[in-house]
Amino acid sequence: MHMIADNLRFFQTQLAGTSCRLVTVTKTHSVARLQEAYDAGARLFGENKVQEIVAKQPELPADIEWHLIGRLQTNKVKYLAPFVHTIQSIDSLKLLQEIDKQAAKHGRVVRGLLQFHIADEETKSGLSLAEAHEILQSEAYQALRHVQLTGVMGVATNTDREAQLRQEFRELRGYFDQLKAEYFAHQPEFREISMGMSADYLLAIEEGSTLIRVGSAIFGARQYS
Ligand SMILES: *Cc1c(COP(=O)(O)O)cnc(C)c1O
């Protein structure tokens, strides 16, 4: 009956007393189910498609923090700029520049995470550490005023091998630590390590996650039509 609320309560209990927060991944689910999650206390919502997040956002309460967690094309940033809280999937300087430009039009600062490639799968996107250094050292990046990097994000390999998952989470945490020390030591806002999903969030928390992104463990399996 109240499956969504029960599942959220479970996560709220799991995370109580930790510095990790839950991003409720709402992709493919109806506005009514999102409202149910909101009513049970969820406030950070993650969607992976621009069209879907843009359609749902006006239908739901204004105090939701919307996170974009899927690949983003520069020509779609303008649709997100009025409301998005954090873009977790930043993988180029070009994207950062476009976010800055569009956020400026709305007098906003949009938060962003640098997405790293940590999985043992060619299909999963993200930066290498060298590419991230190149971006952060560029004058073009340093001139941006309407986008603020608040951490890193990664998607681990789809496997149940615990040792491999731990290694990938540690890799991402290592990237975070290096970037923090080199570029963000005086910016307390740079503090997020977004890692862990329904199948691997416990390991991710143990390895230092500050944002777990959980969908199916809250809503059940997704139906793609
Ligand atoms: C769909 C998705 C999730 C959530 O996946 P579940 O296995 O349903 O918890 C997390 N992160 C990203 C990037 C996703 O696309």
Side-chain angles (χ1 to χ4, degrees):
M1 267 293 272
H2 302 290
M3 183 191 86
I4 294 173
D6 286 345
N7 291 339
L8 279 166
R9 211 161 296 126
F10 171 79
F11 278 97
Q12 286 153 4
T13 306
Q14 290 264 4
L15 296 180
T18 75
S19 51
C20 184
R21 294 180 299 154
L22 170 69
V23 177
T24 302
V25 175
T26 52
K27 64 192 188 200
T28 76
H29 300 296
S30 66
V31 166
R33 302 189 90 200
L34 272 61
Q35 182 68 50
E36 206 180 323
Y38 179 90
D39 293 340
R43 290 296 179 273
L44 281 60
F45 284 16
E47 288 276 345
N48 70 335
K49 291 208 169 72
V50 172
Q51 202 178 349
E52 200 174 336
I53 195 172
V54 165
K56 288 173 175 173
Q57 183 268 339
E59 306 290 326
L60 286 150
D63 62 341
I64 291 172
E65 268 187 28
W66 291 94
H67 289 229
L68 197 279
I69 60 173
R71 184 168 264 178
L72 177 58
Q73 294 172 304
T74 50
N75 63 355
K76 295 195 175 157
V77 173
K78 57 178 176 285
Y79 304 116
L80 300 176
F83 68 90
V84 74
H85 182 276
T86 299
I87 296 174
Q88 294 207 3
S89 42
I90 296 177
D91 59 0
S92 71
L93 176 60
K94 202 175 94 182
L95 189 52
L96 278 163
Q97 289 175 301
E98 182 64 15
I99 296 166
D100 185 75
K101 179 177 153 190
Q102 298 299 336
K105 290 182 184 169
H106 299 276
R108 300 188 67 227
V109 175
V110 168
R111 296 165 190 79
L113 306 182
L114 290 177
Q115 181 173 357
F116 283 92
H117 184 270
I118 54 171
D120 185 18
E121 294 165 23
E122 279 308 316
T123 51
K124 289 196 173 135
S125 47
L127 298 162
S128 66
L129 187 59
E131 289 167 334
H133 280 299
E134 196 178 316
I135 290 171
L136 295 170
Q137 286 166 11
S138 70
E139 284 181 21
Y141 163 73
Q142 287 164 18
L144 305 180
R145 294 292 173 269
H146 293 272
V147 59
Q148 178 179 30
L149 290 176
T150 55
V152 302
M153 181 269 219
V155 180
T157 303
N158 185 10
T159 176
D160 52 16
R161 290 189 50 234
E162 183 177 323
Q164 180 171 359
L165 290 166
R166 277 194 195 278
Q167 188 197 317
E168 292 175 5
F169 292 144
R170 279 178 196 164
E171 185 182 335
L172 185 61
R173 178 168 191 168
Y175 295 160
F176 171 85
D177 289 341
Q178 284 189 53
L179 298 181
K180 176 82 184 169
E182 203 157 327
Y183 305 100
F184 300 99
H186 304 293
Q187 293 185 39
E189 305 80 12
F190 190 88
R191 64 192 169 109
E192 305 293 4
I193 306 175
S194 174
M195 59 187 187
M197 306 174 25
S198 292
D200 55 20
Y201 71 88
L202 280 175
L203 291 178
I205 294 170
E206 285 179 21
E207 298 299 338
S209 176
T210 69
L211 289 172
I212 52 171
R213 309 178 305 267
V214 178
S216 43
I218 293 167
F219 293 103
R222 284 178 291 275
Q223 314 268 316
Y224 291 94
S225 45

